[in-house]
């Protein structure tokens, strides 16, 4: 059953077949920091069963590439950071790398790009001088093999290399990186390659100390007076993702580069974290972020600066990686666990023709373990009042009265509201005291909505989809440095909202 709701969700990832390689599409990253890595054939079986048509590998593992052969899946292979020294110092080494890891597999493996390193400028600045030579040597090898028209070369950057990033129109790249970035952007321009950017609204939100609203990070709808406004362009921003992408466009324009597209090579939201230090790393927030992200990208919404211009995007990541170091959330960014079981159910109702059916009609909204009883009581009161949930079954003598405690009663009310609102993204939130589960909380004669999607609401509810709070702090993600962006964004965002 769990695979059922992901089958249709991830059918959306096949959108490139509809939109084309250069249009809107969603892909996934495949990391392997796991105590038990699935066999390459298991991975490709999962990809094909879920119609995932774009993947990014963090290396060029020959067994993985062999398993991807003749699947039609479009693949970005990567040069690991530790190989940059050799490739950046030798044209011959680069040619050998392309011969072994690209030419030997193409076209059976539909390799579309080579990602040279990962966040080198922010995590390994001592390697920065080798980045452009490595990219040029690899490009020479592609040209020699007559593969340059099929395969692009770029390098993924942390968004932290963009300074003064809000308002986006004032953004510019860290000037200390000009010696690398200027020739790199000219290279991307001349080869028709994208600027690869890793965008993590989760960290921007966590480090903003409540200045960036959670709804703004999660793509939740905002009233006009809460949108962030770029005072220079009067463009309105309703989410962090678009603001960061546009900051990259403006930063490139500052260097007189205006025709290099942005590809988001990593983005996502963790579905689990430490309850005290990472309270917003939850399944519901991961569901909300990724569901809204997919709709946003696949609808070719573009950004305020470039409306209608596709932003190809790769979700981080396919599997949870249980051996990643760092905070608890580092291990829980996956759409699936190591056994291929969905980590949570995504909600894509209303996403258009690419997903016509609701695939999540067997999930439930329950009170979060350890939630503050006072917050639970407040949320229960709201659900049974403004939320228009019929809570009569919670009265003494009625089927759902027992157990007579706030957690059990809140679970019933949360679930009824969630299903009454069509299980839409963000409708199981209640200021963070509710979570989605696939375990039926029904007991005895107290039957919860879920299997048939029915709900007990007093008429049509026009209540908001969530009652969000802001705040929290979190640990740094090990893959790169994204810390410098949040402070600038949060301060400027606060100023822009206050000016409205």
């Amino acid at each position: 059953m769990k695979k059922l709701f992901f089958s249709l969700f991830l059918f959306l990832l096949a959108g490139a077949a509809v939109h084309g390689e250069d249009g809107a599409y969603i892909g996934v990253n495949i990391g392997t920091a796991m105590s038990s890595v699935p066999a390459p054939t298991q991975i490709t079986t999962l990809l094909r069963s879920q119609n995932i048509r774009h993947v990014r590998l963090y290396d060029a593992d020959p067994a993985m590439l062999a398993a991807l052969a003749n699947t039609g899946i479009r693949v970005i292979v990567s040069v690991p950071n530790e190989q940059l020294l050799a490739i950046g110092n030798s044209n011959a080494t680069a040619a050998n790398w392309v011969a072994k890891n690209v030419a030997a597999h193409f076209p059976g493996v539909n390799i579309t790009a080579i990602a040279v390193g990962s966040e080198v400028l922010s995590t390994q600045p001592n390697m920065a001088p080798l980045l452009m030579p490595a990219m040029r040597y690899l490009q020479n090898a592609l040209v020699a093999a007559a593969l340059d028209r099929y395969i692009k070369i770029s390098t993924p950057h942390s968004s932290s290399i963009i300074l003064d990033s809000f308002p986006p129109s004032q953004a510019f790249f860290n000037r200390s990186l000009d010696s690398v970035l200027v020739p790199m952007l000219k290279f991307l321009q001349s080869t028709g390659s994208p600027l690869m950017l890793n965008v993590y609204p989760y960290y921007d939100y966590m480090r903003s100390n409540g200045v960036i609203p959670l709804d703004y990070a999660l793509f939740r709808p905002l009233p006009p007076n809460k949108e962030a406004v770029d005072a220079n362009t009067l463009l309105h921003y309703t989410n962090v993702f678009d603001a960061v992408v546009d900051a990259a466009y403006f930063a490139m324009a500052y260097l007189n580069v205006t025709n290099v597209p942005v590809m988001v090579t990593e983005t996502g939201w963790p579905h689990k974290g430490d309850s005290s230090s990472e309270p917003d790393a939850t399944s519901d927030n991961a569901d909300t972020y990724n569901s809204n992200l997919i709709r946003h990208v696949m609808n070719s919404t573009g950004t305020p600066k470039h409306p209608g211009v596709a932003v190809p995007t790769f979700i981080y990541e396919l599997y949870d990686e249980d051996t990643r170091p760092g905070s608890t959330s580092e291990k829980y960014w996956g759409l699936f666990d190591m056994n291929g079981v969905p980590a949570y159910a995504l909600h894509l109702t209303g996403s258009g023709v690419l997903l016509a059916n609701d695939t999540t009609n067997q999930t439930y909204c329950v009170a979060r373990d350890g939630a503050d009883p006072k917050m639970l009581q407040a949320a229960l009161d709201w659900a049974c009042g403004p939320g228009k949930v019929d809570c009569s079954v919670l009265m003494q003598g009625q089927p759902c009265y027992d157990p007579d405690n706030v957690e059990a009663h809140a679970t019933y009310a949360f679930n009824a509201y969630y299903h009454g609102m069509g299980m839409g993204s963000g409708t199981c939130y209640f200021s963070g005291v509710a979570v989605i589960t696939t375990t039926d909380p029904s007991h005895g004669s107290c039957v919860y909505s879920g299997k048939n999607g029915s709900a007990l609401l007093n008429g049509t509810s026009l209540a908001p989809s969530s009652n969000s709070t802001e705040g929290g702090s979190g640990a740094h993600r090990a893959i790169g440095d994204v810390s410098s962006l949040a402070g600038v964004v949060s301060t400027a965002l606060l100023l822009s909202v206050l000016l409205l």
Side-chain angles (χ1 to χ4, degrees):
M1 187 278 293
K2 287 183 178 179
K3 288 187 177 181
L4 173 63
F5 24 79
F6 256 63
S7 292
L8 272 178
F9 142 58
L10 288 171
F11 172 72
L12 199 56
L13 301 188
V18 177
H19 293 274
E21 172 64 16
D22 295 326
Y25 62 83
I26 290 282
V28 294
N29 290 275
I30 303 177
T32 56
M34 294 175 268
S35 56
S36 178
V37 180
T41 52
Q42 290 178 286
I43 296 174
T44 53
T45 296
L46 176 62
L47 295 172
R48 298 181 75 175
S49 71
Q50 303 297 338
N51 289 307
I52 298 174
R53 308 304 302 167
H54 292 262
V55 299
R56 175 184 169 220
L57 308 179
Y58 287 96
D59 52 24
D61 178 69
M64 189 68 233
L65 291 174
L68 286 165
N70 304 313
T71 62
I73 296 170
R74 294 180 166 115
V75 182
I76 296 177
V77 296
S78 299
V79 176
N81 288 353
E82 58 267 24
Q83 295 181 21
L84 278 180
L85 180 62
I87 292 175
N89 277 305
S90 171
N91 204 356
T93 300
N96 289 336
W97 193 95
V98 168
K100 176 183 177 182
N101 298 300
V102 178
H105 300 278
F106 189 89
V109 181
N110 192 358
I111 298 172
T112 61
I114 300 173
V116 184
S118 179
E119 301 188 343
V120 174
L121 299 184
S122 53
T123 63
Q124 294 186 291
N126 60 310
M127 301 286 284
L130 295 169
L131 199 50
M132 274 314 303
M135 294 174 69
R136 289 196 181 100
Y137 290 153
L138 291 167
Q139 178 69 12
N140 293 342
L142 289 180
V143 171
L147 295 177
D148 56 303
R149 62 179 293 191
Y150 308 106
I151 300 170
K152 302 301 181 183
I153 290 178
S154 188
T155 181
H157 298 287
S158 165
S159 59
S160 67
I161 68 170
I162 304 170
L163 304 182
D164 200 13
S165 53
F166 201 95
S169 62
Q170 294 182 187
F172 59 94
F173 292 117
N174 187 333
R175 299 305 301 272
S176 68
L177 303 174
D178 277 3
S179 62
V180 177
L181 279 173
V182 172
M184 180 183 297
L185 290 174
K186 299 299 183 183
F187 172 88
L188 299 179
Q189 192 173 42
S190 66
T191 59
S193 302
L195 176 74
M196 293 179 170
L197 191 67
N198 295 341
V199 179
Y200 283 102
Y202 171 73
Y203 289 115
D204 296 329
Y205 162 71
M206 290 288 280
R207 292 188 179 85
S208 75
N209 294 318
V211 175
I212 294 179
L214 182 60
D215 289 350
Y216 184 67
L218 293 173
F219 292 93
R220 286 191 179 121
L222 296 174
N225 66 330
K226 294 296 184 182
E227 294 176 357
V229 180
D230 186 325
N232 300 315
T233 62
L234 299 184
L235 294 174
H236 286 235
Y237 288 88
T238 61
N239 61 82
V240 174
F241 181 90
D242 281 352
V244 175
V245 171
D246 271 0
Y249 279 123
F250 279 108
M252 286 192 285
Y254 186 82
L255 296 176
N256 297 316
V257 176
T258 58
N259 57 352
V260 172
V262 172
M263 171 187 284
V264 175
T265 37
E266 291 180 16
T267 192
W269 199 279
H271 62 87
K272 185 177 179 180
D274 183 88
S275 59
S276 60
S277 61
E278 303 169 303
D280 296 295
T282 66
S283 294
D284 190 42
N285 286 344
D287 159 22
T288 300
Y289 181 82
N290 282 325
S291 296
N292 288 337
L293 168 77
I294 291 166
R295 272 192 292 271
H296 187 69
V297 171
M298 295 305 297
N299 288 341
S300 295
T301 306
T303 65
K305 178 172 171 58
H306 292 302
V309 176
V311 183
T313 299
F314 287 77
I315 292 175
Y316 185 85
E317 57 185 332
L318 184 62
Y319 293 108
D320 285 339
E321 294 184 278
D322 66 328
T323 63
R324 282 188 61 83
S327 61
T328 301
S329 66
E330 287 299 315
K331 308 176 192 304
Y332 296 105
W333 288 77
L335 299 174
F336 297 88
D337 69 12
M338 290 181 291
N339 298 313
V341 177
Y344 51 90
L346 281 104
H347 299 67
L348 292 164
T349 304
S351 61
V353 296
L354 289 178
L355 190 80
N357 298 315
D358 179 12
T359 62
T360 56
N361 63 351
Q362 290 188 333
T363 58
Y364 305 85
C365 181
V366 300
R368 179 171 57 82
D369 288 343
D372 185 335
K374 290 182 179 179
M375 292 187 67
L376 281 176
Q377 185 63 57
L380 171 61
D381 293 343
W382 183 91
C384 295
K388 298 187 179 180
V389 171
D390 182 356
C391 294
S392 61
V393 294
L394 301 176
M395 303 296 289
Q396 189 169 3
Q398 296 301 309
C400 297
Y401 174 75
D402 290 319
D404 180 19
N405 59 62
V406 66
E407 182 176 354
H409 287 188
T411 288
Y412 179 88
F414 293 172
N415 188 67
Y417 178 76
Y418 169 66
H419 283 276
M421 296 299 288
M423 298 171 288
S425 295
T427 58
C428 180
Y429 183 68
F430 294 94
S431 296
V433 296
V435 295
I436 291 173
T437 181
T438 56
T439 302
D440 188 349
S442 300
H443 53 90
S445 59
C446 181
V447 179
Y448 285 64
S449 306
K451 292 185 178 180
N452 59 12
S454 63
L456 301 173
L457 292 186
N458 288 310
T460 302
S461 175
L462 300 178
S465 63
S466 66
N467 305 297
S468 63
T469 57
E470 296 82 49
S473 60
H476 192 286
R477 183 165 177 272
I479 199 165
D481 178 11
V482 297
S483 60
S484 65
L485 176 65
V488 177
V489 171
S490 60
T491 302
L493 177 59
L494 176 60
L495 291 173
S496 68
V497 171
L498 291 175
L499 289 173
L500 292 178

